[in-house]
Amino acid sequence: MRIFSRITLLITAAFVVFLSSGCDPDTPGLPGGVTLPPIVSLNSGAGLVSFNQELPLGTPSFIVSVSGQDGDALLRDLVIQEAGVNIPFSQLNFRTGQTANNPLAIPTVDQEGFTYEIEITPSNVVAGPVEFTFRLTDVDNETASTSVTVTYTSSPPVIDLLVEDGFVSGDATVTNFGTSFDVKVNVDNTEDSLATLTILEDGVVMDAAQLTYFAPAFAAANPLNFIPEEALGGTFSITIDPDVDMMTTRTYTFQVADVNGITAERSVVITFDPPAGTALGLDTTGVFFNASGGMNGGLDLDNGMAVGFNSAAAEVQDEGINLNLTGENWRTQISSVNDAVVKVADLSVLGESVSFDDVSTAEEIASVFDGGADLTGDDNFPDADGDQSANEEVSLPIQEGDVFVIRRGDRSYLLRIDAVNFVASSNNDSYTVSIKW
């Protein structure tokens, strides 16, 4: 029994020793041990970014309060990244006095723990989310990190095409030969100053030579860089002159951008339907005079200028006065000169209710000449300046609204009498006319 008790005691003692050795705490760094890494965190507070939030792109900088605490080893460095890239140290302002570096070597006095207040100016210049990461490393290369996402927002600038007579403000059809059209563009800033205005045709930036800024007037550029007094907004009247000679449809986009590259745009779809035929070379007004007076009694239809009734440049001449009459004796008759041929125009050959104002092509005027009527006025008057024969083809006495058609060489002209202006006790009478060719 005594021997058995001793054996039992020895076994019990050995078991206790075994249990005691198995319950020793882990030793850091040894196999099977637990290592405590450093800790990094963002502190909350007034004016501090510590959680995901939005910031305006116009003022992108923000302040963080970063705290670091050592684990089993002293702290070594702190890295601050924007979208996975180290932020240049020049964009970090340590408001707690540390010299900016990135990575920042932790000073000896802070290697067990610190709190730094840092102002960060990001590299980002566009709206959208950006992740900022703060990574703390100790001397054993153990790391800890925390991140915050800042979503940058920006209200785009404002652009519109103003509704006003003579200006395109929405989808439209252009039927004139020139195919040009005018717009009145209004732009306004919101959060940030305006930078540029760009005009595109079917998505392609137009040649500045196709643009005319006329209110205010200045040399066109595309894009147009706003000067300081325009950076808050303004209104610009612009003539768009595209290269179009057939029926087609194009989209014109007016795009404004602010200093941060945030854009807004307005587009219109323009259908071009130019008339068939040859565009008019001249559409003007003019004046010529009683040939018996001291003024020019001939009319140069090529430019609408009054010339002498016997000038080689004239196509039409006034017939002067009737010497057999006393008092008002201006005949108010015209004839052709210099191989030109004058006829009475019948605009109905172009269609019912067609007027002088409706005529828009050289072919139409030629057609009116071909359908015109010969002059049937009386030329049996004594010779006078403007009429030195009695057998010319002359018009009947002219009335306001009369329309004549003239051909000289291969050019046809349309002439409307807008006013017959009598001057009492004088031969300074005149006609006011409209001319097309």
Side-chain angles (χ1 to χ4, degrees), residues 116-166:
Y116 298 150
E117 190 171 282
I118 310 167
E119 181 178 9
I120 299 173
T121 300
S123 300
N124 173 69
V125 293
V126 298
V130 181
E131 183 180 52
F132 295 87
T133 301
F134 304 83
R135 188 180 71 230
L136 184 61
T137 304
D138 65 20
V139 295
D140 287 340
N141 288 323
E142 295 292 332
T143 63
S145 65
T146 187
S147 297
V148 64
T149 297
V150 175
T151 300
Y152 287 99
T153 62
S154 180
S155 298
V158 176
I159 184 169
D160 200 8
L161 300 180
L162 299 184
V163 179
E164 192 170 312
D165 288 346

Side-chain angles (χ1 to χ4, degrees), residues 277-292:
T278 305
L280 295 176
L282 183 71
D283 185 352
T284 190
T285 59
V287 175
F288 71 111
F289 299 86
N290 180 341
S292 296

